[in-house]
Amino acid sequence: MRLDLKRFLYRGYYRSAGLKHRAQRLLTPAGWFVLGGLLVCGGIGLDTNQAMAYQAVALLAAALAVAAVWQFRPQPAIGLQRELPRYGSAGTKLVYRVRLNNPSASPLRGLSLIEDAGDPRPTLLEFLQAREPGEERRNWMDRAFGYYRWSWLVGRNRRAAVSEAPLPDLTQHSVTEAAVEILPLRRGPLRFEHADLAWRDPFGLSRRLCPVPTRQSVLILPKRYFIPRVALPGTLAYQQGGVALAGSVGESEEFVSLRDYRRGDPLRHIHWKSTARTGQLIVKEFQDEFFMRHAIILDTFQREEAPDVFEEAVSVAASFACTLESQDSLVDLLFMGPRAFCFTAGRGVGHTEQLLEMLAAVEPCREKPFAALEHLVLEHLPRVSGGIAIFLTWDEPRQALVRRIKANGVPWLVLVVAAAGAATTVDPGPMRDQPERFRVLETGRVAAGLARL
Amino acid sequence: MKPPPLLLGAGLLFWGFETGWLATSIMMAALLEAAHWTQSRWEFSDADLNRIWDLCVVLIVGALLIRYTSEEQNAASAYQFFQWFPLLFFPLVLAQLYGNRDRIPATVYSWILRWRPSKPARPVTAFHVGYLFFGACLISAGAANRRDPWFFIGLSILCGWALWGHRSRRFTGPVWAASFGAAVLLAFYGQMGLHQLQDLLEGRVSAWAARWMRRGFDANESRTELGSIGNRKQSGRILLRVRSGTGAPPELLRQGSYDSFRETVWLAARNQFASVPSEADATTWLFQPRTRTENSFTLFTSMPRPEAILPLPLGSERLENLPAGSLETNLLDAVRVREAPGFVGCGVQYHDERSFDLPPDRTVDLQIPNKERPALEQIVRDLRLEAMNDPEKIETLKSYFQENFAYRLFVPENLHHPTDSNTPLSRFLLRSRKGHCEYFATATVLLLRAAGVPARYVTGYSVQETPDHGSTYVVRERHAHAWTLVWEHGRWKNLDTTPAAWISVENERASAWQWLADLWSEGRFQFLKWRWLGRRDWLQQAAPWLLAPLALLLSWRLFVRRKRARRDSASEDRSVGFRPGADSEFYEIEKQLTATLGERPPGQSLMHWIESGPARNWIGRERPEIDTLLLLHYRHRFDPIGLPDADREALRSGANLWVERRRNGPEEMNRTG
């Protein structure tokens, strides 16, 4: 009975969301304003003897009716091809070009383009199984009707925010290029099924939509934060069996650049000519072959009620993955998916893009226990000279893992991503003796937390 | 979306033209349009916009209160409120046009949104209020209800202007004009159709629609509930108050008399109204010459509409203290008042045995519908009424109903479908013998007519409840009643055959919360009496006592605020007094410099000022001395440890010496130099 009610509600929400989506595309903001005005005047002008608002009702309704008639005007078929970049980033505007082919014999003006970034409506199973964060605190009616859950799921599934992009005039028998802008909201592949070409009626109240099927996709990388140039923990380490990873051991004689003297630089590296010329100590810098190998451990064991925390953790991992590579070290990304993943990037082995691609596709792990990640990390531990562990919670199994990592003598930075306002309640536990290497990042304030590193 | 220049001004002028507030609208329009030619803009923060919106809300609430207290639930007054929209929202649109914000965020309008913890990920909706204000101007202009073609013409022009700004580039001007012309043409016929549709609905299409849209009491017809299924729900709302004067108040107050019965509807066939003459004061109205034996009472009632039917007793002779535009009666003695104030308290003088109703017209007042005839004739035969004289017939019928019939609100027999021989009335008379007052009144009228006695159907109110067992009676909505007028001994008389138990049955249906509603009603009654009749009643006497605590609170708040302000300023003074370095003698040097070079530019430090061109030239060779003194001044002023005594003395003496030298003139300066 309860399930039937949920199914019934789901169908209702599904259909009404479809209608709403269609109405939002059919009517322009001016059209919505006219429709709103029509309803208000309808209420006020109900009694035609008391007010003249019924004349406004007639005029606004007539304007909408004439606009609707224009919808039936036949439109020429237009070819459309996107020139998409390889990647985009969640939360950053993605600008790309579209090529529009007007095969007709007349120029086309006043056209606009509305992308379709996929249907955000959840499936029935998703609707039945998902739990909105904080749903247990809602009243019984909200829980029974599940409207908030539905709107939360729709928001979560929306891959990109699209808006109407005005197009330039399309001259006859020619191809015109135009720039289109969308805002990707989620990481992962963003698939375009079709694009809607829109013509407005003379009054600008409604749009005639002509869907142009063009299947293309772009990979949206996780949102990344700025991380200051941090001195990551770790020491130079010899990379065993790492011919592919390290060409030789020690410092090569390969001269890279000149730089200012820093305390601790060997005196034999001083470049005397430059020092004499500038009056300041200048040293030669060589390509070092002892290098650091950092690991990023990403906790993918998401608690159902905190999906934002998981997304933020992925973003934090992506931010470090970008930053560390530029510091000439190897970066190992360790996480659990359907199986154990360990991906290495840096020094010509792999590229940051590949790391980010992995992170763009990472999903919460529900099949395996946390012990699997622990096993993976401990197996990998001897090879790394330090690392960053990003946890979704700070419970006993995770603290136990950190204890074992610490026992290995390798320095680690431990980051716990927590819900907003939860930072003060987290006890550092095994990291109490190294408070500078333990941070709690609250969702919504992650950038500020990372900037303080 | 931002409206094009002059559109808002044009909208305001249109509103002014329609509502008759042209002068105000010209000023408002000039103020709004001046924004397009003014460069300077106010910087409004969210908090400022919140306050401006709160001001609009206060204006709206104030306007609603004024409307509510002036003419009560009057439909026309509600439309008058709509006419004020441009005035009420004017502060907001001014803030929009003269502010530096292109869009006003939605959080400004909603207290809930303001209080909700902000979610950084969720962008706040923001919009320009220009078009909303433009729409408000048009709606308000429409609410003025000037029934002339100018409204439609103006509306079309303004809407066309607004739509022109949003036209699609795909269409040329002529195509747009043709489309808009088609829309206007369609709208023209559409608005006529809408008006006719309402007439149709109000007129004849369905009984419920007519009842729903009906405005006030209808003296022309009374739709009965005969044959309806279910309870007749009447509330305990107090409609009238009757204060008895000479003699007891009347038992029945008549609102309308009807002479013609069709299906379930009583109609007034003779419904032409004629004016009643008034005396010189225009508040006293005379229906018929006064008699010596008279009763009087005062009737208090709200007049929700400017035109209403007054409930008055049979034999009303004179009305006093009724400041109305005109008073009219029809041939069946319904009394219609026009242009009445929102609340009246009029004195009524009446004579029980005199009525100004016309004598019966036997073609109408003895008329019986053919459908009802078999049942009526059967009763007349059974009671042998034909053999009796008129008073006997009346008495017989009265006792017949009292002895054989019962009062009941729910009539289950109505579940059967009526046929020609089985009408609701015949079922009531022959089978169920249970019904409400409309059954009794209708049956009595028709039986009397069947027996040859002229009779009419009357609706109105029964006056029976006196809450304080005193001289004031209250008449509630559920005291609405129907009874019979019968022609006896050459005059019309009231005849109520409904069993007396109907009052207790109705009273049993009173809500448990009626006392609360009565309390509110009493408060409102006293307020309205004070507001409209201006009597020195308890409310007016109590007003100073009610206002006294408010005044005290206000004075206390003012006192506390002033005290706090004084305390704050005192503490500020103290802090100024203790500012370190304020006693520095270097300020004297600064004064000299200011006197010669003018004010130090704001934001420029003393050091920079002295280093600047004019000051440097003027100081000339004394620069090292000034620099030393300035350094000492800075230390005195900003060093938390302060100056040692020796340095303090050096500053004092050095500055004084310099000032002294300056005062003595440039000659000495040159000499010293």
Side-chain angles (χ1 to χ4, degrees), chain A residues 44 47-49 52 75 169, chain B residues 79 142 145 147 170 195 198:
Chain A
I44 293 174
D47 189 343
T48 59
N49 295 315
M52 304 286 277
Q75 307 299 343
D169 295 352
Chain B
Y79 285 101
N145 205 22
R147 316 294 293 188
R170 190 179 164 217
H195 194 54
Q198 180 176 347

Side-chain angles (χ1 to χ4, degrees), chain B residues 247-315:
Chain B
E251 286 178 9
L252 296 167
L253 293 175
R254 175 176 60 161
Q255 228 174 353
S257 304
Y258 307 90
D259 49 10
S260 180
F261 185 62
R262 285 184 204 153
E263 298 287 341
T264 59
V265 182
W266 275 101
L267 300 165
R270 292 161 286 178
N271 55 6
Q272 295 82 13
F273 278 87
S275 289
V276 174
S278 71
E279 288 186 359
D281 60 356
T283 60
T284 306
W285 309 83
L286 210 60
F287 296 109
Q288 53 187 332
R290 291 177 69 182
T291 52
R292 254 182 287 169
T293 52
E294 65 178 27
N295 295 318
S296 70
F297 67 94
T298 311
L299 177 76
F300 296 98
T301 180
S302 297
M303 291 281 171
R305 297 174 185 86
E307 186 182 304
I309 302 288
L310 269 185
L312 293 173
L314 188 70

Side-chain angles (χ1 to χ4, degrees), chain A residues 28-31 33-34 37 40-41 43-66 70 73-76 108-111 132 138 166-169 199-205 208 443-445, chain B residues 1 18 75-76 79 82 85 120 131-132 134-135 139 141-149 151-153 155-156 159 163 166-172 175-176 179-184 186-188 190-192 194-196 198-199 202 212-213 215:
Chain A
T28 64
F33 183 76
V34 166
V40 172
C41 291
I44 293 174
L46 203 62
D47 189 343
T48 59
N49 295 315
Q50 291 285 351
M52 304 286 277
Y54 72 98
Q55 295 193 343
V57 171
L59 188 63
L60 297 180
L64 284 174
V66 171
W70 276 104
R73 187 184 178 186
Q75 307 299 343
L108 295 172
R109 284 196 297 269
L111 224 75
E132 179 207 356
R138 293 207 180 274
L167 296 175
D169 295 352
W199 277 274
R200 292 189 175 197
D201 64 80
F203 308 140
L205 302 181
R208 161 86 192 263
T443 54
R445 283 193 286 177
Chain B
M1 290 196 297
E18 287 290 321
Y79 285 101
F82 295 141
F85 277 176
Y131 273 114
L132 287 177
F134 175 70
I139 289 172
N145 205 22
R146 273 177 53 157
R147 316 294 293 188
D148 57 23
F151 178 74
F152 188 75
I153 294 168
L155 182 76
S156 304
C159 286
L163 288 174
H166 292 276
R167 71 190 183 280
S168 169
R169 283 195 306 117
R170 190 179 164 217
F171 300 93
T172 57
V175 175
W176 184 91
S179 303
F180 188 68
V184 170
L186 196 64
F188 180 72
Q191 56 94 15
M192 286 202 301
L194 279 176
H195 194 54
Q196 283 166 2
Q198 180 176 347
D199 284 350
E202 274 194 331
W212 183 57
M213 299 188 84
R215 274 161 281 132

Side-chain angles (χ1 to χ4, degrees), chain B residues 259-425:
Chain B
D259 49 10
S260 180
F261 185 62
R262 285 184 204 153
E263 298 287 341
T264 59
V265 182
W266 275 101
L267 300 165
R270 292 161 286 178
N271 55 6
Q272 295 82 13
F273 278 87
S275 289
V276 174
S278 71
E279 288 186 359
D281 60 356
T283 60
T284 306
W285 309 83
L286 210 60
F287 296 109
Q288 53 187 332
R290 291 177 69 182
T291 52
R292 254 182 287 169
T293 52
E294 65 178 27
N295 295 318
S296 70
F297 67 94
T298 311
L299 177 76
F300 296 98
T301 180
S302 297
M303 291 281 171
R305 297 174 185 86
E307 186 182 304
I309 302 288
L310 269 185
L312 293 173
L314 188 70
S316 294
E317 292 179 342
R318 182 183 156 93
L319 287 183
E320 289 173 347
N321 299 323
L322 180 64
S326 66
L327 203 72
E328 298 167 334
T329 62
N330 67 3
L331 297 173
L332 297 173
D333 284 358
V335 178
R336 183 163 71 187
V337 57
R338 286 177 183 270
E339 298 165 41
F343 182 80
V344 295
C346 60
V348 183
Q349 290 167 6
Y350 69 103
H351 194 291
D352 272 340
E353 296 180 356
R354 292 185 66 193
S355 144
F356 55 96
D357 296 31
L358 285 184
D361 176 350
R362 292 193 171 261
T363 55
V364 183
D365 291 318
L366 289 175
Q367 204 179 50
I368 300 169
N370 287 332
K371 272 190 197 174
E372 311 292 354
R373 200 172 284 277
L376 296 170
E377 283 172 354
Q378 187 184 332
I379 304 273
V380 169
R381 269 198 310 276
D382 290 352
L383 295 176
R384 295 176 188 167
L385 291 177
E386 282 168 348
M388 301 177 187
N389 58 21
D390 284 359
E392 283 172 350
K393 287 173 188 170
I394 293 165
E395 276 309 308
T396 309
L397 273 178
K398 204 171 173 180
S399 53
Y400 172 68
F401 280 114
Q402 294 297 330
E403 287 161 16
N404 302 305
F405 287 73
Y407 184 79
R408 191 196 275 181
L409 286 168
F410 180 64
V411 187
E413 288 76 10
N414 289 332
L415 290 167
H416 306 292
H417 293 289
T419 59
D420 278 358
S421 59
N422 181 18
T423 61
L425 196 72

Side-chain angles (χ1 to χ4, degrees), chain A residues 80-91:
Chain A
L80 185 143
Q81 186 67 37
R82 298 183 196 86
E83 290 179 5
L84 287 168
R86 201 169 154 202
Y87 303 112
S89 289

